[in-house]
Amino acid sequence: MSAFALYQSFSAELPAPAKVKKHPSQAAAKKKKKKENGVASTKVSTLKAQMKAERKKLRNKIQKCGKAEGLRTVAEEMESVSGDGEALEMLLAELTGMNNSRKRASKLFQWLIDPIPAKAFFRDTWEKKPVIVQRQNPDYYKGLFSTAEFDRVLRQEDVQYGVNLDVTSYTDGKRETHNPPGRALPFTVWDFYQSGCSLRLLNPQAFSSTVWNVLSILQEQFGSMAGANVYLTPPGTQGFAPHYDDIEAFVVQLEGKKHWRVYNPRTEDEVLPVLSSPNFNQAEIGKPILEVVLQAGDLLYFPRGFIHQGDCLPDTHSLHITISSYQKNSWGDLLLKMVPAALEVAIEEDVEYRRGLPLDYLTYMGVQNSDKDDPRRAEFFSKVNSLINKLTNYTPVDAAVDLKAREFLHDCLPPMLTEEELASSVQGAPVKWERGKVINADACITSQTRVRVLRDGCARLCSDGDAVHLYYTTDNSRVYHKEELKSFEIKTEHTDAMEFLIHSYPKFVSVGSLPCDSPEDRISFAELLFEKGIIHTEEPL
């Protein structure tokens, strides 16, 4: 059966989320929920001897449970998965030749979920139900990340426990984190792995240029931050308890195999949740609606709210990367910004919102009076409904969308430049120091120079009261929120020129065609944007 036929048959048979009564422990559980955005709680051991004893104890415990069966040495693991990743390299090279970054993102996403058509995926599956793609092609995702790359990162990068790496285990129904303090070095990390612990590498885009490239492209497809974690699990073990997340998850199996079970949301309140769940025990989650063994080259997608757990088979390790998006990107999240702003405008512009409350409203309103049969209560509710309905007249929808956009721009990865973009942007400008002097300093922008914004959506005009600021992503860090959101104030006379550049993408336009007051103004504005990496030229300067 083809991968697409398998997808079609599975989609037709998958049940919809069950409508069940509210779980009795739900209210208590909500109070304990924490946003689990790739960083687990740390369990610090201060003495090396204690760390060694804990690892030995853990190894014995896992072996006693029969979960360490089939463990191979780290060297054997590395040897078995070394690959050159030519297929992915060829795809990424092909994408650099595409003139439009939005189309580039669409093509890369289609590769991610192939053979499912993207249009059908977003119509039938996105936010609705899980789906699997089994390809029988272990090399499909080769080159994205590997255990060899994992080892390189540990040796060459400053990987810190609890910040960049979590060491976890799940045995006898108990989920534990075993992070010591300080830098994660191969000697200790691989000892944890040999002891049966799972390794979670957080934000691998900070260490892997390929992951950075892929995520920086995909974020344009989602219009929302694209993040990732890498999970390496020893044979015969499980690293995490059953739980659900607050993101749309694409589980990309890179090496080995992993046995997955996925469960419906337990209640309607847990459909598309705002926060990730606490850890569940098996009795709380019911029976899985999907059970599958993913092999290298396979894909599993599930929406936020679907409970899941994965365990490794005894005969091989598992390496997968989970690509995620759409955290806090709902209508409700937009309204959280929109409604307070609407109230501010309404109170300022409409006297009805400034009129005083009834003198005696406390005597018939509130929880203690909720059972009263008092006509004044109906009148009070009617007034509240009237003011809420009227609030739509004062809702600054575009301004609220811009607030969401600013958050997204702050979350964004910087674009990974192609060779052509590097040569034609400020990063590749020819001016340099050579033989005791500055050379090529005469390279400059003229009215004939043709320019465009570096990426679709890399810059956005937003109004901040009386001022207009330009927010941009091109100077962001690969480390999440390491830098403040980048922006600068735009002169009123330059707003039309900036809109012209944004809306002209992907076309290059001459600096002389920018709607500014004078030729000098056009050039100075273009130079400002060029210096900040927001635009690049059609030909190198």
Side-chain angles (χ1 to χ4, degrees):
M1 180 180 287
S2 71
F4 186 50
L6 179 63
Y7 155 71
Q8 288 179 313
S9 63
F10 175 77
S11 298
E13 296 170 3
L14 190 65
K19 293 185 178 180
V20 295
K21 294 181 180 180
K22 184 175 287 190
H23 195 277
S25 64
Q26 182 183 3
K30 278 191 175 181
K31 294 180 181 178
K32 296 180 181 178
K33 284 180 182 176
K34 281 188 176 181
K35 178 181 177 185
E36 190 170 315
N37 190 23
V39 179
S41 60
T42 60
K43 192 177 188 179
V44 176
S45 173
T46 56
L47 298 176
K48 185 181 292 186
Q50 290 176 326
M51 288 165 50
K52 186 175 181 180
E54 181 183 348
R55 293 198 297 272
K56 184 177 179 181
K57 181 180 178 182
L58 179 68
R59 181 188 292 114
N60 293 337
K61 182 179 181 181
I62 292 176
Q63 288 174 340
K64 186 177 180 181
C65 294
K67 292 187 175 182
E69 188 178 326
L71 282 175
R72 290 185 287 172
T73 67
V74 176
E76 288 174 330
E77 300 285 4
M78 300 305 158
E79 188 178 359
S80 66
V81 296
S82 59
D84 54 16
E86 288 182 354
L88 180 58
E89 286 183 6
M90 289 176 62
L91 172 66
L92 293 175
E94 180 185 346
L95 294 180
T96 63
M98 299 182 69
N99 190 43
N100 188 324
S101 64
R102 187 74 68 177
K103 291 182 178 179
R104 196 181 303 164
S106 296
K107 186 175 180 65
L108 182 61
F109 180 73
Q110 183 59 71
W111 167 83
L112 178 71
I113 65 169
D114 191 71
I116 306 172
K119 186 176 181 180
F121 173 82
F122 285 111
R123 182 189 65 229
D124 302 329
T125 305
W126 176 254
E127 293 190 322
K128 296 181 180 71
K129 59 188 178 184
V131 72
I132 54 173
V133 175
Q134 294 176 298
R135 294 193 173 89
Q136 287 81 47
N137 180 3
D139 295 336
Y140 189 80
Y141 293 118
K142 185 179 285 187
L144 181 54
F145 200 83
S146 67
T147 44
E149 179 77 351
F150 206 129
D151 187 67
R152 182 203 65 78
V153 169
L154 292 174
R155 294 180 185 283
Q156 299 180 6
E157 306 286 352
D158 182 19
V159 177
Q160 295 287 320
Y161 287 109
V163 178
N164 312 115
L165 184 77
D166 284 325
V167 180
T168 70
S169 66
Y170 179 68
T171 57
D172 297 331
K174 185 178 181 181
R175 158 77 163 83
E176 293 183 280
T177 302
H178 309 277
N179 293 340
R183 181 177 170 184
L185 291 168
F187 180 83
T188 305
V189 172
W190 294 129
D191 187 46
F192 273 124
Y193 175 85
Q194 287 290 88
S195 300
C197 289
S198 289
L199 307 175
R200 172 169 62 181
L201 182 65
L202 309 169
N203 301 314
Q205 58 271 25
F207 307 111
S208 165
S209 59
T210 303
V211 176
W212 166 32
N213 194 7
V214 167
L215 296 183
S216 68
I217 295 172
L218 287 177
Q219 67 192 5
E220 288 195 52
Q221 172 72 20
F222 296 122
S224 176
M225 175 188 170
N229 288 332
V230 169
Y231 299 82
L232 177 58
T233 309
T237 69
Q238 182 169 337
F240 294 87
H243 66 282
Y244 62 71
D245 295 312
D246 59 349
I247 46 88
E248 302 300 297
F250 297 84
V251 178
V252 175
Q253 190 70 27
L254 300 173
E255 298 174 12
K257 295 181 283 189
K258 200 163 199 176
H259 169 232
W260 284 92
R261 286 166 285 176
V262 181
Y263 309 75
N264 269 329
R266 301 180 304 167
T267 70
E268 286 195 22
D269 287 351
E270 293 180 353
V271 174
L272 303 179
V274 176
L275 298 174
S276 296
S277 73
N279 294 326
F280 296 124
N281 61 52
Q282 302 296 332
E284 293 178 292
I285 59 178
K287 294 182 179 180
I289 60 165
L290 183 158
E291 188 164 5
V292 65
V293 174
L294 289 189
Q295 302 191 56
D298 293 348
L299 173 74
L300 168 63
Y301 160 81
F302 46 81
R304 53 198 191 275
F306 278 77
I307 300 167
H308 53 279
Q309 61 179 322
D311 60 278
C312 212
L313 301 180
D315 59 335
T316 184
H317 74 289
S318 168
L319 181 76
H320 78 266
I321 183 169
T322 296
I323 296 174
S324 62
S325 192
Y326 255 59
Q327 187 180 58
K328 296 190 181 302
N329 202 43
S330 68
W331 284 103
D333 292 304
L334 177 61
L335 289 171
L336 282 172
K337 300 185 180 301
M338 196 179 295
V339 173
L343 274 173
E344 286 187 19
V345 176
I347 291 170
E348 181 178 340
E349 297 185 3
D350 191 333
V351 69
E352 287 301 311
Y353 291 87
R354 301 197 299 271
R355 296 194 189 281
L357 292 162
L359 291 173
D360 57 349
Y361 81 102
L362 293 177
T363 65
Y364 58 87
M365 296 305 299
V367 175
Q368 69 181 31
N369 301 307
S370 59
D371 293 331
K372 278 188 175 182
D373 186 15
D374 190 321
R376 293 175 298 174
R377 287 181 59 82
E379 185 177 340
F380 193 93
F381 278 115
S382 177
K383 180 64 175 177
V384 170
N385 288 335
S386 173
L387 291 174
I388 289 176
N389 291 334
K390 196 177 180 182
L391 196 61
T392 57
N393 298 327
Y394 304 100
T395 303
V397 178
D398 285 326
V401 168
D402 282 341
L403 289 176
K404 281 290 296 173
R406 283 158 58 173
E407 288 184 349
F408 170 48
L409 292 178
H410 193 197
D411 293 343
C412 274
L413 286 163
M416 183 174 176
L417 303 186
T418 66
E419 290 184 8
E420 291 77 9
E421 289 169 338
L422 183 62
S424 60
S425 66
V426 67
Q427 287 90 339
V431 60
K432 61 180 178 179
W433 179 272
E434 187 173 288
R435 296 179 181 177
K437 62 180 179 179
V438 176
I439 63 171
N440 298 328
D442 55 345
C444 61
I445 290 176
T446 69
S447 294
Q448 287 73 43
T449 305
R450 294 174 62 80
V451 298
R452 71 171 183 180
V453 292
L454 195 61
R455 290 283 193 280
D456 188 16
C458 73
R460 188 178 185 92
L461 283 171
C462 297
S463 176
D464 297 308
D466 295 331
V468 176
H469 283 79
L470 183 69
Y471 295 85
Y472 58 101
T473 68
T474 53
D475 203 24
N476 282 5
S477 170
R478 289 164 62 177
V479 178
Y480 179 71
H481 284 191
K482 182 179 179 180
E483 307 284 347
E484 294 297 321
L485 176 61
K486 307 296 182 183
S487 71
F488 60 93
E489 186 174 346
I490 288 277
K491 295 179 181 178
T492 304
E493 57 268 28
H494 289 161
T495 56
D496 287 345
M498 193 65 231
E499 286 185 7
F500 177 68
L501 279 168
I502 289 172
H503 296 148
S504 295
Y505 185 88
K507 295 179 181 178
F508 285 90
V509 297
S510 68
V511 171
S513 67
L514 298 180
C516 295
D517 294 337
S518 67
E520 294 77 17
D521 204 23
R522 296 183 187 101
I523 292 173
S524 66
F525 182 56
E527 287 176 339
L528 172 64
L529 297 178
F530 184 81
E531 289 169 4
K532 293 187 177 296
I534 297 169
I535 63 173
H536 68 121
T537 57
E538 190 171 28
E539 300 292 338
L541 293 179

